[in-house]
Amino acid sequence: MSPQEILNTYGPREAMEYDVVVVGGGPGGLSTAIRLKQLAAEKGQDVSVVVLEKGGEPGAHILSGAIMDPKALTELFPNWKELGAPLNQPVTDDAWSFLSETGATRTPGIFLPECAQNHGNYIISLSNFTRWLAQQAENLGVEIFPGFSAAEVLYNEDGSANGGLPSVKGVATGNMGVGKDGEPTENFQLGMELHAKYTVFAEGARGHLGKQLIAKYKLDEGRDPQTYGIGIKEVWEIDPSRHTPGFVMHTAGWPMNNDTYGGAFMYHMEDNKIAIGYVVGLDYANPWLSPFEEFQRWKTHNNIQWYFTNDQGEVNAKRLGYGARAITAGGLMSLPKTVFPGGALVGCDAGYLNVSRIKGSHAAIKTGMLAAEAAYDAIVAGRQHDELEAYPEAFEASWLYTELHKSRNFKTWFKKGLTVATLMNGFEQFVLRGHIPWTLRRDKADHTYLKPAADCPKIDYPKPDGKLTFDRLGSVFISNTNHEENQPAHLTLKDTSVPVNINLAKYAGPEARYCPAGVYEFVKNADNSDRLQINAQNCVHCKTCDIKDPTQNIVWVTPEGGGGPNYSGM
C-alpha cells in the first residue's frame, strides 16, 4: 500500500495543536524552543512548544568535531556554567599544519587569521551538549518527542493568500510498523499530525523536509547552489604521555591532492580522549576517491600516528566511537531565504555553518533564538501562518551575519586549488581582516563535478590493519546504528536502472565509495549481471548519498523514528 492508501484505509490521523512545532532536537531546534519559553516566562504568558526528534533520544544523531564558540550560548543562558553545561575543556593551543607524504609544516601562530584562532572556545562532545540542552528545554516546559520522525509537511488550504502557494500547517510523523512490502504489520501504528501557528525546521544539513520546502517555495532562487562536505569522526582514548588537554590541530594536504577540498582535525578532550576527523568537500571530481579511506590513510602519517602509538611504534590507543555527517559549507552566498508562509529554517537546515571557522553550533543556537523571537512576537500579536520577516531582518543586523559576511569567499577559493585558496583566504582574513571588496560566486551543485571514471586515476587504498585503520562495517558497529529491518528502505531510488546503467557504467559505482557506512554495494546476479544492493540498516543518516549521487537518483527519506546511530560522546 502507498502512504496515501494507508491513510485512506486507517485514517484520519490524530492531530495535536501547538503554537510552535520544532522539527529536530539539535542545538538549533532546542534553542528555538528554549527561547520561546524564556520569552513567555518573562511576559507571564504561555506558549505551547513541541520538539520532534527522530533519534531515540536527544543527541543520539548529533555529531560534530566539535569546538564551540560560547557566544550564542551565553546569550541564551548567561549562567550556563552554573547550570552545568558540559563545556569542560577550553582550547589551550592551535596548530595548523600542511602535510606532505613524509613531513609537516606548521603555520606560525602569528600568521593565523582570527577565523583560525580558538582561544576562548571549548572542545566539546556536541551529542552530550545536546542532551544537556534538551534537559534545560524540558525544565522550561518544552515537550520533546524522541523517536518520532517528521515524515511529511502539512499545508493549509490558503494558497490564494500567498501567491498561489499554501502556508505550512505543521507536520505528520511517520507510520510505524509498515513492512518491507509496504503493507501494515501487526505492529502498525498510524502517524500523528502536529499543527502549529508556526513550524520551525531544524533538521541539520540536507534536511529531508527542508529540502522539499526550499524547492516548493523556491527559497534558493538567486542564491549560489549549496555545497557540502562529508565529515567522518572517531573518538579515541590515548596514552596520557601523548595527550595535551586543550590542544587543537588542523591539517591540510596529504593524503589528498591539491585540487580536492578537505582536511583533518585532532582535538584533545578531557580524560585522555581525542576527537579526530576528516572532512572532504563533496564537490570532488574523481569518482575513485573514498572519503572514508582517505581518513584511515591520514592516520598513518608519521606526525599523526605518533599519538596512537608507544615508543616502540605499537598502537596502544583504543577507538571508542565512530560516526559521519554531511555539513553545509556554502556560507552566506548559498544561504536560502529562510522564511516562508507558516515556517522558518534554522541552523544547518538553512546552511549557517561558518566553514572558515569550522563551526556551526553557535550559529544554530543564534538563528534558533532569532527565529523564536520573531515567532513569539507574531503569536502575541495574534498572527499565524504568515512569513516571519523579522527573523531574516534580525539576522542581517546580528553579529552572525557580520561573521559570515567576512568569510563568504572561503570555500569558493578552493575551486582554484589548495595553494591559491590558502594565499587568498590568508590575504582576505589576515591582511584585509574580512573587509573584502569582492565576492566570488558559484553556479554548480556538488553532484555535477564527478568526472567519468575512465578519465581519472584509480586510487588504491591499503587494507586496514584493525588496530589504527579499520573497515566500514566494524566502524558502523561502534556507532550503535540500528534500524527495524522489516520496514521500507529509507534510501529510495527514482529509477532502479540508473545505478547499474549510469553510475556503475560511467562512474564505476561511486556510491560504494562515498558512503561511509557500507550501505551501497554492487553485487553479481546469478547470470553475472550487476545490481545495486542497499544495506539500509547500516545507514548513519549522514545524507552524503542524497547530495553526491551524480544523477540525483537516490532520495533519502525518513525511516521509522528511533532508528539510526546512537552517538554518545561524539
Side-chain angles (χ1 to χ4, degrees), residues 257-324:
N257 62 39
N258 287 346
D259 295 329
T260 304
Y261 174 82
F265 65 83
M266 178 185 291
Y267 302 155
H268 287 238
M269 309 163 76
E270 64 264 41
D271 301 326
N272 299 317
K273 294 176 183 175
I274 61 170
I276 62 171
Y278 208 89
V279 176
V280 177
L282 290 178
D283 53 359
Y284 66 83
N286 187 343
W288 297 107
L289 186 146
S290 165
F292 177 87
E293 266 82 16
E294 295 290 345
F295 176 35
Q296 300 305 311
R297 188 161 60 156
W298 171 80
K299 288 185 288 182
T300 67
H301 190 278
N302 290 336
N303 290 60
I304 305 302
Q305 67 175 344
W306 179 85
Y307 291 96
F308 303 91
T309 57
N310 58 23
D311 292 340
Q312 290 72 47
E314 301 164 331
V315 175
N316 64 343
K318 181 181 180 181
R319 191 173 68 147
L320 305 176
Y322 170 83

Side-chain angles (χ1 to χ4, degrees), residues 101-112:
E101 190 168 356
T102 57
T105 302
R106 179 171 175 173
T107 303
I110 60 170
F111 294 123
L112 290 180

Side-chain angles (χ1 to χ4, degrees), residues 23 52 148-153 171-175 208-209 212 557-559:
V23 180
L52 290 179
F148 285 88
S149 297
E152 178 187 353
V153 181
V171 294
T173 64
N175 300 323
H208 167 57
L209 299 183
Q212 296 177 22
V557 300
T558 51

Side-chain angles (χ1 to χ4, degrees), residues 162-224:
N162 298 297
L165 291 173
S167 62
V168 171
K169 183 179 184 179
V171 294
T173 64
N175 300 323
M176 305 283 281
V178 178
K180 282 187 176 181
D181 58 2
E183 297 295 322
T185 69
E186 66 274 10
N187 299 317
F188 175 76
Q189 288 183 316
L190 191 66
M192 61 180 177
E193 297 188 1
L194 294 101
H195 302 166
K197 295 171 182 173
Y198 297 99
T199 307
V200 177
F201 295 84
E203 306 163 284
R206 192 70 163 197
H208 167 57
L209 299 183
K211 175 184 169 184
Q212 296 177 22
L213 291 162
I214 290 170
K216 184 178 185 69
Y217 293 105
K218 299 181 180 178
L219 303 178
D220 57 353
E221 198 167 62
R223 272 69 167 180
D224 290 0

Side-chain angles (χ1 to χ4, degrees), residues 426-473:
F427 179 70
E428 288 186 351
Q429 300 302 320
F430 189 77
V431 179
L432 299 181
R433 303 289 181 182
H435 300 291
I436 307 162
W438 53 77
T439 298
L440 304 183
R441 304 304 298 262
R442 298 170 58 257
D443 59 4
K444 292 174 63 178
D446 290 342
H447 71 273
T448 65
Y449 282 94
L450 272 189
K451 295 180 179 178
D455 297 342
C456 299
K458 190 172 183 180
I459 306 174
D460 292 318
Y461 293 104
K463 291 184 178 180
D465 61 18
K467 297 177 182 178
L468 180 62
T469 58
F470 301 89
D471 63 16
R472 285 174 170 81
L473 294 184

Side-chain angles (χ1 to χ4, degrees), residues 52-72:
L52 290 179
E53 167 53 45
K54 66 182 174 64
E57 63 174 328
H61 290 178
I62 298 295
L63 178 142
S64 182
I67 295 176
M68 175 176 278
D69 180 342
K71 186 172 185 177

Side-chain angles (χ1 to χ4, degrees), residues 117-130:
Q117 299 175 18
N118 283 296
H119 298 296
N121 300 329
Y122 293 81
I123 301 171
I124 68 166
S125 157
L126 195 60
S127 60
N128 289 346
F129 172 79
T130 300

